Each structure stands twice: as structure tokens, then as C-alpha cells.
Amino acid sequence: MKNIHYKQLIAFAAILTLSACNNSKNRTDKSQEQIAENRDSVITIQLSGSSRYKHEFAMSEIVKDIQYIPLETNDDCLLGNRIGQPVFTKDYIFIVSGGILFQFDRNGKFVKRINRKGQGPGECDTRDFGIVEKTQLIYIYDNWKLSVNIYDFNGKYLDVIRNPFSQEPDGSSGSRMECDVKGNIFFNFDNFGSMKYQYTVMDNKGEFLYKSPNPILYDNKKKIWRFSIYPSAMYFYDNTLYYNYVFNDTVFRINDDYSCSPAYIIKIPKRLTLEENIRTGTNEIPYSDFSGHIQHKAIREDHHYIYIYNNYNPYSEDFIPLFSRYDKQKKELLDNINPKLKNDFDGGMDIELAPFKQTDNVFIYTYWPHEMQEKLTDGHFAETEVEFPEKRDSLKTMINNLPEDDNPVLMIVTLK
């Protein structure tokens, strides 16, 4: 294995990955017609690979609306500096801070704490969580015990799924958790060469429905790669889970039987490859040799577009975030969009379009009152031309009425 050629390694890794995605004792047999149909439906997107932005937009050109929700502040819901990305349901907003999952209504009024931190029954430290609105259930993945605690929307503790990975070798445990509309639990794995799975699926009783093996491992004893791919991102769109890897050009769709199949292929010139990552990881070549290379980061999508994120010079202080948008209906690509948008919509905070802040065509940002007050001064507003003066005036009124030590304000940006 030590003498295998790197290009052979990459090709073999790709074959193994596709094989792992399409074979399992739990999957249903697919006809040749279905396989051909899946193959024909794969969308290939060719990016330019240029680091120079060709498309500079102001927010007013691509933003449909901006809404602000100040989160209520009292002694029961003081949020710390480290807060997670908010999750919205029809009636509520859920947000993690300091291992506690907080529940607010859609106007930002505090409702309750869902969990308590600790080791006792119903207590946990939130690593990740999933919401199933249909059944009004909340699943919290415990950061320490690696169990899943189940609560209802009233904050009542219902049950626990003990660490589902306790019997797994090599200390495998999910890094992120997602829930589908049925309440099935998906775990994604940060693969640093030792994780046994790419992803797993478990029902709400703790029974595994599917385990997608990770064929790409690192031999710790021999200090050699037995292949490795790092997960990059997971996202839900249209009740379907997708995932893709930094060093793989293929974005996979998880099917109804929990196997996966290719959905998109993202082609980038000067892509940072698995081979190059392996060689830097073993100190064979320095990161400085990757000047001008591009690292694929993530994708997201809504019903109109696929949003593609990459980094130019990823291991350098000179790295540049790249952003592209593919129109699924017109099959047209708008490449090299500057993701940093100047706010000429209402004169508020400038934003950067980032994959981890997005759900469908909505981007959610969290700002502390003192941040907004330091930037959004009377002088700032006087110097900024805006498309919607009435929205600017409403924003100024809100900022003037915010105590600087209050909980953060959610900025919800909806794209056209």
C-alpha cells in the first residue's frame, strides 16, 4: 500500500466512494433504467477558477427583503458570545448558546430553555440539535455523553437514545446531526482518517436504518493513508439531504432508501486535490506550493439556484472567498460573485453570503447591539445612499432603543 501511485489512489478512492454510496444490505434493488435515469440527472457545473470578481453587487440588486428580530433579554435567557446558527419553525426560533438550547417566538420574545446542562436525567450539553415540526419534537445531541435527548416543544423531557456509537471501533462518533421530516436522525462524520462511516441514519427509537461505510482511512500504526476524504457540508433541500466533500467534485443526494447517488459535479480548475492534501499532511510538500489553487468549500441551494462556495489560496493569508450561482431552470452560471455585499438596501450592516448562514434563499446573521451601534451611527446613515429610506428610518429607531448589553439582533436577509 505504501507504494501505490497517488493518481491510482485518487481514482480508487473515487470508485470506492461511489461504491459505498450505492451498495448496502439495506438498500432496495434499482433497475438499470433507474440507474441510468439517476446518471442522466446529474448536473455538471464548470467554474472558471479565476480569483478576480467579475460580478460586484449591492444588496439592493439581489435582496428582496430584510427583517430584524431583537431577541428578548432577561436573567433567564442571557446569551453568551458563542452562539449557534438560529433555526426557525412556523412559530419559534431555536438558538444554542453555551450548550443550552433557547426557544423564542417569531417576534423574539423569550419562551423557555429546552435543556439544562449536567449529567442527570434530561440534562445535556448541546453539540447539535434537530427539529421535527410535524411531531413537535426536539432532538439534542449531547456533546459529552454523545447520547440524543428528546424533548417536546413545551420543553418536556421525553426520552434518551443512549450513545449509538458506544460499540463502534476507533472512537467513531458523529460530528453533526440532522433530522428529516419523519424524525430520522442523520449523523455526519469529520473524517480525519479514522472514522468508520461517511454518514449514518437512525430512527427515533435508536435503531440504525443505514450505515454508509467510509472506505478511506488512515493507518495510525503504519502512518500511511488508506485513503481519506473530509466531509465538507450537509444540507436539506426539499426534504432531501445532500452532502459533499472538500476534496471530491461530486455532491451526493441521499435517496429514499438512505443510499446515496451523485446529484451535482462541480468542476474547478486548479482544485486542491486529495493527493495534494495527503502529501502536505505527511509533510512531503509545503502548503506554500498551493499558491493559486482553489479549495471547494460547500454548496447550498433553493428552488431557483445552486450556491457554490470555494476558497482561493486556502492555506494562505491571501485567501479569497469565491461564490458562484447556478440557475437550475435556465442552466446558466453566474460565476465569481463577490460574496461581500455593501448594504444600500436600508443602510444597515454589510453582509457576506456564506453557506453556513443560509437556509433556502434566506440568510440569517446575528449581531450584538453594540456592534450595530458602533457601525451604524448617524454619520454612517448620512453618508450612505439607500433604496428604501423608510426601512433605514425604522432601523435607526430600533438601534436607538437597544441597550448595548442586550441579547443579539437577528438580521434575516431574503434574496430575490
Side-chain angles (χ1 to χ4, degrees):
M1 195 65 183
K2 288 184 179 179
N3 298 323
I4 187 169
H5 191 278
Y6 282 115
K7 291 184 178 180
Q8 293 174 315
L9 184 151
I10 304 305
F12 189 40
I15 293 170
L16 283 175
T17 301
L18 290 173
S19 175
C21 284
N22 287 285
N23 290 281
S24 169
K25 64 181 180 180
N26 293 324
R27 67 169 295 201
T28 57
D29 292 333
K30 290 192 172 89
S31 67
Q32 292 300 316
E33 291 79 7
Q34 288 176 308
I35 294 173
E37 183 179 346
N38 286 340
R39 186 186 305 116
D40 293 339
S41 67
V42 176
I43 295 175
T44 299
I45 303 173
Q46 176 69 58
L47 305 183
S48 68
S50 170
S51 63
R52 194 172 90 184
Y53 295 125
K54 301 175 184 176
H55 303 281
E56 302 279 347
F57 289 101
M59 283 177 62
S60 61
E61 296 180 69
I62 62 175
V63 169
K64 178 180 179 181
D65 187 37
I66 297 178
Q67 178 189 6
Y68 296 94
I69 303 178
L71 297 178
E72 180 185 353
T73 305
N74 62 49
D75 291 342
D76 292 325
C77 60
L78 294 176
L79 303 184
N81 289 329
R82 297 185 64 182
I83 56 179
Q85 186 67 7
V87 172
F88 284 65
T89 66
K90 178 178 177 291
D91 298 314
Y92 299 110
I93 303 168
F94 295 90
I95 188 168
V96 174
S97 176
I100 301 295
L101 181 61
F102 293 87
Q103 182 185 29
F104 297 83
D105 70 15
R106 288 297 296 260
N107 296 315
K109 181 177 176 57
F110 174 63
V111 178
K112 65 175 65 69
R113 296 183 178 208
I114 299 300
N115 66 303
R116 293 180 300 171
K117 290 182 68 172
Q119 302 292 320
E123 297 177 334
C124 61
D125 185 337
T126 305
R127 172 188 288 199
D128 208 348
F129 69 98
I131 303 290
V132 185
E133 188 159 12
K134 182 179 180 181
T135 57
Q136 302 276 287
L137 293 178
I138 303 164
Y139 298 81
I140 296 181
Y141 187 29
D142 187 358
N143 193 45
W144 301 113
K145 292 179 287 186
L146 304 178
S147 297
V148 179
N149 282 16
I150 306 174
Y151 308 81
D152 64 19
F153 274 25
N154 294 318
K156 182 181 178 181
Y157 169 67
L158 301 176
D159 202 356
V160 62
I161 300 173
R162 302 296 178 188
N163 179 5
F165 304 104
S166 60
Q167 304 301 317
E168 298 294 343
D170 302 320
S172 294
S173 63
S175 59
R176 288 197 57 215
M177 185 189 77
E178 299 275 4
C179 291
D180 65 13
V181 294
K182 300 176 183 178
N184 293 323
I185 302 169
F186 294 75
F187 291 99
N188 190 28
F189 294 79
D190 284 337
N191 175 30
F192 299 107
S194 62
M195 293 304 181
K196 185 176 180 181
Y197 305 112
Q198 296 179 92
Y199 65 89
T200 61
V201 189
M202 186 175 68
D203 66 19
N204 57 13
K205 302 298 182 184
E207 296 294 327
F208 277 108
L209 304 174
Y210 193 92
K211 296 179 179 180
S212 178
N214 175 27
I216 307 160
L217 300 172
Y218 181 75
D219 191 318
N220 286 302
K221 293 182 178 179
K222 297 182 179 180
K223 302 299 180 185
I224 59 171
W225 285 92
R226 299 192 345 244
F227 316 116
S228 182
I229 290 180
Y230 294 13
S232 173
M234 297 172 67
Y235 70 95
F236 269 104
Y237 166 67
D238 195 22
N239 295 329
T240 300
L241 184 65
Y242 294 77
Y243 73 94
N244 69 300
Y245 293 101
V246 170
F247 301 107
N248 192 323
D249 64 2
T250 306
V251 180
F252 295 98
R253 175 193 300 110
I254 296 184
N255 304 310
D256 290 340
D257 63 356
Y258 311 118
S259 66
C260 64
S261 57
Y264 312 116
I265 295 175
I266 312 298
K267 292 189 175 181
I268 313 171
K270 291 191 175 180
R271 171 193 289 272
L272 186 63
T273 67
L274 173 60
E275 173 188 355
E276 291 164 334
N277 184 69
I278 291 173
R279 295 175 68 188
T280 54
T282 55
N283 298 317
E284 183 179 340
I285 54 177
Y287 285 118
S288 58
D289 285 3
F290 296 137
S291 176
H293 280 60
I294 296 175
Q295 181 185 60
H296 176 56
K297 187 176 181 181
I299 80 163
R300 287 294 191 273
E301 64 181 297
D302 58 34
H303 60 289
H304 280 311
Y305 301 108
I306 298 171
Y307 303 91
I308 306 161
Y309 302 85
N310 305 293
N311 287 331
Y312 181 83
N313 281 351
Y315 297 120
S316 166
E317 293 181 357
D318 300 323
F319 89 95
I320 299 172
L322 300 175
F323 175 57
S324 301
R325 190 180 70 183
Y326 179 81
D327 189 313
K328 294 192 286 188
Q329 280 74 42
K330 296 180 180 179
K331 298 184 178 180
E332 295 175 352
L333 177 70
L334 195 61
D335 199 9
N336 277 31
I337 303 171
N338 187 350
K340 298 179 180 180
L341 303 182
K342 180 175 177 58
N343 190 340
D344 69 335
F345 190 90
D346 60 8
M349 304 295 283
D350 299 337
I351 64 170
E352 180 173 344
L353 299 175
F356 61 90
K357 295 181 180 295
Q358 185 210 343
T359 302
D360 294 330
N361 66 328
V362 176
F363 289 75
I364 304 171
Y365 303 86
T366 305
Y367 294 109
W368 294 94
H370 68 84
E371 289 182 280
M372 303 183 78
Q373 291 165 352
E374 288 171 4
K375 177 176 174 59
L376 306 181
T377 61
D378 289 341
H380 165 83
F381 284 115
E383 296 172 357
T384 304
E385 294 186 7
V386 300
E387 290 293 316
F388 300 96
E390 70 281 3
K391 292 184 179 292
R392 175 200 58 200
D393 296 341
S394 176
L395 174 59
K396 289 174 64 175
T397 300
M398 184 195 73
I399 292 173
N400 290 334
N401 290 326
L402 282 176
E404 66 174 17
D405 57 352
D406 262 13
N407 274 334
V409 176
L410 303 184
M411 178 183 182
I412 298 94
V413 179
T414 304
L415 299 189
K416 294 178 180 177

